[in-house]
Structure formats: C-alpha cells, structure tokens
Amino acid sequence: MNNNKRFYNIFWRWHFYAGLFIAPLLISLTLSGIGYLFYTNVENQMYDDLFFGESTINESISIDEAIKNAENQYHGFNVTKVIVLKEDYNTRFTMTDATGEQKYVFIDNNNQIIGSQNAANTFSNVMRSLHSSLFVGGTVVNYLVELAACWAIFLLISGVYMSLKGKVFKRHKGTLNKRQRHKKLHAITGTIIAIPMVILIFTGLPWSALMGNFIHSVAQSQPSIGIPELQLVPPTSDINEIPWAIRKNQTPKSEDPHAHHKMITITIDNDNMVSMQKLMKEVEETQISEPYSIIFPMSEEGVYTVSKGSNTGVAGLDVSPYEEVTAYFDQYSGNFISKVGYEEYGILGKWFTWGIPLHEGHLFGWPNKIINLLVCLAFLAVIFWGFKTWLDRKVKHQISAPPKTPVGKSFAGFIVLLITLGIIMPLFGLSLVVIALIELTIYVLKKDKSRNINELP
C-alpha cells in the first residue's frame, strides 16, 4: 500500500469513528440551532398578546408606578431590568426573586400590566438551553457539546480532504450504484458547506465552556483587543448624595439567561434612587434611541447601565453592531457619566460583535436566516448520506469500520494536523490525549495477553 493510500485510510478511519460517535449530538445541535434561528418569528406569533396587546385599563400611569404595580402583583419579585423594545413592541420588565427565578412582565403604552411569562419556559430560552446544554446543563454536558463542535471541525476538514483526494468528483462510466450515489452526495454537499459550517461553529464558540471562557478571559485581560476597560470596570454613583444612615443593601441574586457568560444581578432597595421616568429622559437626552435595556445597579455604589446590543437574545432588542453602546448613569441623580461603543472595542470584541449575530441569523436580516437554514439543512443531509453510505457497505453483525493502517511515515502529517487543531481547540486536544491513553492501554493489555498465551506449556 502506497503512502497516499495509507494517508487516505487514516483520515477515513478517524472520520468514520468521529462521525459515528458524535452524529447524535450534531443532529441535536443543528435542529435546536434551526429552532433558535427563527425564535423571533415564532415568539411574535406565540406571544402576540404580550408583545403587542393592550390592557383593559385605559388609565395612563408613569413607568415608576408600573414598576410598583408589578412588584405588588408579583410578590417576592423585584424589577432588575427594564427593556424598551423597538417599533410597536410593549416594554418588558425582567423581575427576579431571591432564589434566582425570573419573570418577564409586559406593560402597554399606558404602562399598564398586560401579563407575564416564566422566563425559563419561553421559546427562545428553551431553544437556547437545548442548543447549549441539551436541557441537562452542568459542566460535563457543556463540555460534551463543545467537544462535539470541535470534532465537527475535524469531520469537515477530513471530509474535504477525502473528497479532493478520492474519486467522488470524477466522472463514472455507467450508472452509479446506491452506495456510490450516497457517497457522492455526502462528499459534494459536505465540501460545499465546509467553510460556512466552520464559520458557524467558530462564531458559536463564545458560549462554550472551555474555549468560551478562554476567549472571555483574553478579552478581559487585554482591553486593547477585547472588551474596553470602561465595561470591565464600570464607574460608580456618587454615594455622598444620600444620607449615610439610610444606606442599605438587600441582595437577591440571579443569573441572567441572556448573558453569554455568568453574571450576578443584584438589586438594592433604596428610596433615594432616581425615578425611572427621569432616568429615561436622561437616556433620551444622551441620544440613545430605542431599543435599549436598563439594568439596575448591582450595589449601593453601582450605576444604571443602559445597553444597546447586537446579540441580546431578546425579540425586538437587537441592533446593528455599529449601534452597540453601553452607557452609565448615576443611580441617585440620573446624570450621564460615560459610555463606550463599538468604535472602542478591540479586534476580538469587534469580531464577536459581528460573529454572534451572524451565528444567530440576524446580522443582515432574512438573507442571513435563509443562508444559515440552508447550511444547517445541508449539514443534516450530509450526516444522513454518510450514515447511508456506511449502511450500504456494512456487513451484518459487523461494524465494518475502515481498515486499520499500520503506523508509518504517513502518520506524520496526520499527527501535525491533530496537534494544530488541538492547539486551536484545547478541548479537542484533551480528547486526543484521552484517546491516546485508551489506545495505549488496549495495546499493553493485548501485548500482555499475547505474552501469557505464548508462555503456556
């Protein structure tokens, strides 16, 4: 067997086993990704009464009275965020209790309450939970999802290599049999979608457990290429504006389900805080247009954070990356303190400001959704045709794996590829170490078994 054939067989064998083991996860991730891709369209229909409806009460009240009404109606919950959505959407409150449970409460143009949702059960949050943690959650599952994404990159690279080196693109004399037809469809479709699929996977990695945390850490530690320092260390309010004797701090905590990384939200109970109506007027005067969210202070020295984002995960809130801005207002006077926008982001921050909405399918409207949908459907077809190709050549009661290739010079290039991918994707590298240890253990056991047989009289 020549070196080219050996090299091809190495890729084929690894491609086969990788696909066999992670295909179920990839199908789950792709289907949930398609669901999340259209969450705004689905939610606009499902929650039409909350998003666009009106209360039966026609009396107009202030936003501050609406907040009090909401906290009275939903006892034990405090408003931690006010979201002023775009166009004809109703305003939404995020309310959190001491255990971290959240509700979304909607108010109409008269600031009257229309109704509420359990945050965990909304379509977008269900799809997000399924896509990122398979509903189960926890570190192990998050790592498993990330590992599947990493191995999908390997599948795409090895698949393209085999397609280019194999004979699938060559014209066949006569009619193709069933196996050849499935193999050709698998190879051609996989090659066509390889680049867009790699882009989709890499733009989704900011949410991953290991690589996502690494990206976030780099962005934080290197403001020049990542997150501006003002966002890392927000300013503080002028606490001298309130009497010392009545400063108090009550801290119910929760995790924001829309944050790409864990964030603790803390609200304070302080009558000296500026009214929401005045704050919203200050926001308007600062020329921050709708849509935007107002995040409540995290401590008695904290500030109101007003944010416009390109990847919020909230229907009616996303904006263009160029419009991203985070502004800070004193919680007692309501005065504008400072703001940071897209122009101040480092190259890493800018990349993901574009990459995440591209991944979610709303960077450039409907065409973005359609392209992502076609890529996802094609990826599912690639998995299906790959499975069919295997079944077409599978011998009954056998796994029918590609032939094992003896270690030789042909392994050198393959090892270089694995090491390169392992450096780029650390979890992929760790999985390779585990595979090597398993292979070594099997080799030692087989060697010991063979020696024991030979020593028998």
Side-chain angles (χ1 to χ4, degrees), residues 4 20 29 63 71 129 153 193 197 201 225 328 391:
N4 286 337
L20 196 63
L29 290 172
I63 187 77
E71 292 181 339
S129 176
I153 298 288
I193 67 165
M197 198 66 205
I201 292 170
I225 64 170
Y328 304 99
L391 290 181

Side-chain angles (χ1 to χ4, degrees), residues 394-451:
K394 186 180 181 301
V395 178
K396 192 174 182 180
H397 304 307
Q398 293 183 26
I399 194 169
S400 299
K404 192 169 184 179
T405 306
V407 176
K409 292 181 180 179
S410 54
F411 262 92
F414 184 72
I415 295 299
V416 169
L417 172 65
L418 293 183
I419 291 173
T420 303
L421 292 177
I423 293 171
I424 296 172
M425 301 177 292
L427 197 57
F428 178 81
L430 289 174
S431 71
L432 293 177
V433 172
V434 173
I435 291 171
L437 291 173
I438 292 172
E439 287 282 353
L440 180 61
T441 303
I442 293 172
Y443 172 77
V444 171
L445 291 175
K446 283 184 176 180
K447 192 173 181 180
D448 288 344
K449 185 177 180 181
S450 177
R451 184 185 300 138

Side-chain angles (χ1 to χ4, degrees), residues 39-40 43-44 47-53 63 81-94 104-109 111 114-115 117 122 124 258 280 283 288-294 306-309 311-319 323:
Y39 81 89
T40 53
E43 289 194 334
N44 284 344
Y47 312 133
D48 176 73
D49 55 332
L50 294 174
F51 282 10
F52 310 107
I63 187 77
K81 186 188 295 184
V82 174
I83 300 180
V84 182
L85 301 167
K86 62 185 176 183
E87 298 169 355
D88 51 351
Y89 284 89
N90 289 318
T91 297
R92 190 183 95 175
F93 297 156
T94 297
Y104 299 148
V105 177
F106 293 84
I107 60 172
D108 63 14
N109 289 333
N111 294 325
I114 301 171
Q117 299 172 312
T122 63
S124 58
H258 298 304
M280 292 174 72
V283 172
I288 298 176
S289 60
E290 300 176 2
Y292 59 81
S293 59
I294 301 174
V306 177
S307 174
K308 290 169 67 78
N311 46 76
T312 64
V314 178
L317 187 59
D318 293 322
V319 299
E323 295 180 57

